[in-house]
Amino acid sequence: MARRRIIAGNWKMNMTPSQAKELCATLKDLVANDAVDVVYCVPAIDITTVVEAVAGTNVKVGAENFYIEDKGAFTGEISAPMLKEAGVEYVIMGHSERRDIFGEDDILINAKVKKAFAAGLKPILCCGESLAVRKAGTYVDWVKRQITWDLYGVTADQVKELVIAYEPIWAIGTGETATADQAQEVCKMIRETIADLYDAATAEAVRIQYGGSMNAGNAAELLSKDDIDGGLIGGAALKPDFGQIVNA
Ligand code: PEP
């Protein structure tokens, strides 16, 4: 089965609303490719601006985070139904920056996966190992464990809609990219893990991205690999290079 390519930008804590509008205008023609799902995952404050700016184009809007309750006394947080009503379709969870800086663990991430689906949002679930784990040679077990915990109680039909982003932490924002073979090895293992946890049809359907210093120069090789269905892009998502990645 041919899986549809998905190229998502993770803008992180960059772009004021006026800068976001400008970036959408800069990228508009560069990312116009109907054969690819193109997603801008943007700061919450930019969502309304970006939804308006990409209306009528092939670009979908994603969020970078939310909290697992629908509403209530959670000062500073945003809920999944709020994102949905604002026009968001995808939402990132399990990003290493949220795991490491904000202490999010697999139990919370699992709750986020379920809440996103309940609210009609598609999760982009991130996983990946640190440099220490990579050097210790235990990265396969590490990523397998993350996926297994994060998907506990999630149905096969939901997993078919899921996007998993393999993001080795040592390659995020460092300029050091995993080689295409290193990325393929882990993305293949993720698909095999989904086959073990669910079934072959679910493993065949789930889309797996690579993320970590993907850029205009290395995207084509990474995306040529059998189990790499797209990319989650940080730094290069804020530049015209993003268009080259979409069309790689
Ligand atoms: C990311 O943080 O999701 C990411 C992949 O960042 P970068 O492309 O900058 O390494």
Side-chain angles (χ1 to χ4, degrees), residues 86-223:
V88 166
E89 289 187 39
Y90 291 86
V91 60
I92 296 174
M93 57 201 67
H95 194 282
S96 58
E97 286 153 16
R98 295 221 57 93
R99 291 179 190 259
D100 294 348
I101 304 171
F102 300 100
E104 295 194 4
D105 61 15
D106 289 305
I107 292 174
L108 178 65
I109 295 161
N110 174 246
K112 287 189 173 194
V113 173
K114 291 174 179 164
K115 175 55 77 172
F117 278 121
L121 300 169
K122 291 184 188 134
I124 298 177
L125 170 64
C126 303
C127 57
E129 79 285 359
S130 65
L131 186 58
V133 170
R134 165 68 52 169
K135 282 188 171 157
T138 52
Y139 56 94
V140 165
D141 286 344
W142 180 275
V143 173
K144 210 182 263 191
R145 184 186 51 74
Q146 285 182 321
I147 296 291
T148 304
W149 275 100
D150 297 345
L151 295 182
Y152 181 78
V154 178
T155 69
D157 281 347
Q158 290 173 328
V159 172
K160 287 176 183 152
E161 296 294 312
L162 184 73
V163 179
I164 299 176
Y166 168 56
E167 298 208 311
I169 300 169
W170 47 272
I172 294 181
T174 57
E176 186 171 341
T177 321
T179 65
D181 287 340
Q182 284 175 321
Q184 164 62 17
E185 180 200 16
V186 180
C187 291
K188 181 167 184 274
M189 177 280 292
I190 291 171
R191 202 175 302 285
E192 287 166 357
T193 302
I194 298 297
D196 290 345
L197 292 172
Y198 296 91
D199 51 55
T202 306
E204 192 57 27
V206 67
R207 290 188 292 177
I208 303 175
Q209 298 174 314
Y210 167 76
S213 300
M214 192 186 269
N215 58 41
N218 59 29
E221 193 189 353
L222 287 158
L223 294 170

